[in-house]
Amino acid sequence: IKSKLIVADVKDILDYKFIVPGVHQRENLSCAVEVAKQFHIPESNIKKAVKNFKGLEGRLQFLRIYNGVKIYNDNNATTPEATSAALKALGGNSKNIILIMGGSDKNLDFNNLIKDIKKYTKSVVLIPGSGTDRILGSLKKTGVMLYEKKDLKEIVAQHKEISKSGDILLFSPAFASFGMFNNEYERNDLFMKIIKGLK
């Protein structure tokens, strides 16, 4: 088969204005840019499209600022690796992330996630589920403040009590949605509705 190997490199897109956070997002972008070039789309058009791209729903999506707290929806992060990527994308040296996570177990290794939680978060609010039950013991050893709530509405209400201006509220479950929700889209829609309703 006649073919060509193209290796995408983030160094080739350093001058692209791209607001979606995360190294992993820029890696995805570099691949998309290479595909666009294969269709002979002018680079000026590619850069314009990238500049106007705000990100995708449920994938490290910036929702709003509420009382000085930036709120991100990363509902589609259903693995420990995905939540780790989100923490690294938003985390700095100030440990100002309040992480909402938990759900149904997929029997994946969460050791690296535990390290990232300890490094980047000030507190974790947990969604009930078999995955939450499995990770709870390891979370308690991190020294991070933990809160267990029975539903998303209670979880968001808890954030209002423990957050302060300059913090980040990150909804990045790391586990599947089954048990409490029919699927991840139902979970996503409920979180979006609760956040939009904050007054």
Side-chain angles (χ1 to χ4, degrees):
I1 300 171
K2 187 179 179 181
S3 60
K4 179 166 60 173
L5 175 65
I6 300 165
V7 180
D9 191 337
V10 291
K11 292 176 184 174
D12 296 333
I13 58 165
L14 292 177
D15 61 337
Y16 279 64
K17 290 181 170 58
F18 186 57
I19 66 165
V20 183
V23 173
H24 63 299
Q25 304 277 24
R26 292 196 76 85
E27 289 171 348
N28 290 337
L29 173 63
S30 66
C31 293
V33 167
E34 288 299 334
V35 170
K37 287 178 179 177
Q38 293 307 302
F39 285 95
H40 307 292
I41 297 172
E43 189 169 27
S44 59
N45 290 5
I46 299 172
K47 285 186 174 181
K48 184 178 179 182
V50 169
K51 183 180 177 181
N52 293 327
F53 181 66
K54 307 299 183 198
L56 299 174
E57 184 171 302
R59 291 173 173 84
L60 212 51
Q61 170 194 15
F62 174 69
L63 292 182
R64 63 181 291 193
I65 296 176
Y66 176 79
N67 288 344
V69 177
K70 291 182 178 179
I71 302 176
Y72 288 85
N73 174 21
D74 197 35
N75 171 72
N76 288 43
T78 61
T79 66
E81 292 80 8
T83 297
S84 280
L87 289 171
K88 289 172 183 174
L90 300 178
N93 297 320
S94 55
K95 289 189 69 167
N96 64 336
I97 296 177
I98 297 165
L99 175 64
I100 298 173
M101 67 164 292
S104 182
D105 197 9
K106 296 166 80 170
N107 202 30
L108 300 175
D109 183 355
F110 53 71
N111 288 322
N112 287 331
L113 174 59
I114 291 294
K115 293 174 187 174
D116 290 329
I117 286 172
K118 186 173 183 178
K119 183 175 181 179
Y120 296 112
T121 69
K122 64 183 282 186
S123 57
V124 177
V125 190
L126 295 162
I127 303 167
S130 55
T132 305
D133 295 341
R134 188 165 74 92
I135 200 172
L136 190 56
S138 297
L139 282 172
K140 287 179 178 176
K141 294 175 184 175
T142 64
V144 172
M145 291 296 297
L146 300 177
Y147 302 89
E148 295 180 73
K149 297 295 175 183
K150 66 179 183 179
D151 59 40
L152 276 180
K153 199 167 184 179
E154 277 194 7
I155 286 168
V156 174
Q158 178 66 51
H159 125 260
K160 289 165 69 176
E161 294 178 23
I162 61 178
S163 64
K164 66 179 190 299
S165 182
D167 284 346
I168 293 170
L169 177 65
L170 172 62
F171 177 52
S172 188
F175 293 98
S177 57
F178 305 115
M180 181 178 287
F181 306 96
N182 290 321
N183 51 53
E184 65 187 82
Y185 304 105
E186 182 183 2
R187 178 175 66 186
N188 177 81
D189 293 347
L190 179 57
F191 181 73
M192 296 275 282
K193 181 180 179 182
I194 293 170
I195 296 302
K196 285 178 181 176
L198 285 176
K199 292 187 169 50

